[in-house]
Amino acid sequence: MPEPTRRPPSGAATLRADKTAAISEAVLDELAEQGYGRLSMEAVAKRAGVGKSALYRRWPSKQRMVIAVVSELSIALVELPDTGTLRGDVLAGLRAVADWLTHPRFSRILPDLIAEAQRDEELSQALARCIGEPRRARMTDALDRAVERGELPPDLDRELALDLLGGLVYWRVSARGAPLEPGYFERAADMALRALDARPRRA
């Protein structure tokens, strides 16, 4: 399935930004309240105060609509500045994952999407391509910078490193429901650095 994109308007029609924003908010609200399986284009249109045609001018299907809206929110929640050190970048990455998982609406949306993806291979692939891969790419950049600075070995297993960093917070927040008490991110970052065989930055 090609990457979801908004369908260009036909004829002289234009896609109003305010309507697109209202639809996106309605999609997120419906996902949080009803879940992916029970979400319908009709319900989204009604909540957004638009006709169904406004949705289909933007996306050809429910799945494309959901992936586009959720991925836009997910990528916006992973701003990772270059802090100049691996520890600083890891701390920023861990906090970004926590912000994503504890987002008021997304914390209700993600578990449902993961469950649906177990039954729907097309949805699973779309989530990985449009949400998982872009988010992981941001942290991969940080790991690459650390390798260049000499803080990480050149043969670093980046895939495993990304699983480690994301898994630390995901397991605590989503699987265990445990609190992120003061000092958690610092302790998690230091443990991750030891696991990654980090070393002092080259002068």
Side-chain angles (χ1 to χ4, degrees):
M1 183 182 74
E3 185 171 340
T5 56
R6 290 178 178 141
R7 178 186 293 180
S10 59
T14 58
L15 301 183
R16 288 174 46 184
D18 58 336
K19 282 192 175 182
T20 300
I23 294 170
S24 295
E25 289 297 306
V27 170
L28 294 172
D29 286 337
E30 284 292 314
L31 280 173
E33 294 177 12
Q34 304 297 330
Y36 180 82
R38 296 177 60 188
L39 180 144
S40 68
M41 301 292 268
E42 290 84 357
V44 170
K46 181 178 180 180
R47 184 184 283 265
V50 301
K52 282 176 60 178
S53 61
L55 274 60
Y56 285 109
R57 281 198 296 271
R58 291 162 172 81
W59 307 284
S61 67
K62 163 182 156 177
Q63 184 185 106
R64 296 288 187 84
M65 177 181 69
V66 168
I67 292 296
V69 172
V70 173
S71 62
E72 185 174 3
L73 171 63
S74 297
I75 303 308
L77 290 173
V78 64
E79 294 298 330
L80 294 179
D82 181 357
T83 68
T85 68
L86 175 59
R87 187 175 189 274
D89 289 351
V90 167
L91 277 170
L94 293 175
R95 291 188 172 111
V97 174
D99 289 343
W100 185 50
L101 295 176
T102 60
H103 184 276
R105 279 186 296 192
F106 204 74
S107 61
R108 300 169 62 187
I109 293 171
L110 183 61
D112 175 72
L113 284 179
I114 291 175
E116 288 288 343
Q118 302 304 309
R119 298 183 288 269
D120 186 334
E121 180 62 24
E122 188 177 351
L123 176 62
S124 176
Q125 292 179 4
L127 289 173
R129 183 176 61 255
C130 300
I131 299 177
E133 291 175 11
R135 287 183 61 91
R136 288 169 73 88
R138 302 285 180 89
M139 197 64 211
T140 298
D141 291 340
L143 296 176
D144 289 342
R145 292 194 300 267
V147 170
E148 293 174 2
R149 292 191 299 257
E151 294 178 280
L152 288 173
D155 61 349
L156 174 73
D157 186 331
R158 286 163 174 75
E159 284 298 303
L160 194 57
L162 292 171
D163 288 347
L164 169 67
L165 295 173
L168 281 170
V169 182
Y170 179 83
W171 182 258
R172 188 175 188 88
V173 172
S174 298
R176 292 185 55 212
L180 298 170
E181 72 276 1
Y184 167 77
F185 293 113
E186 288 76 11
R187 297 198 313 275
D190 290 339
M191 180 170 288
L193 293 182
R194 290 193 294 271
L196 295 174
D197 192 25
R199 66 282 307 270
R201 178 178 180 177
R202 289 194 300 257

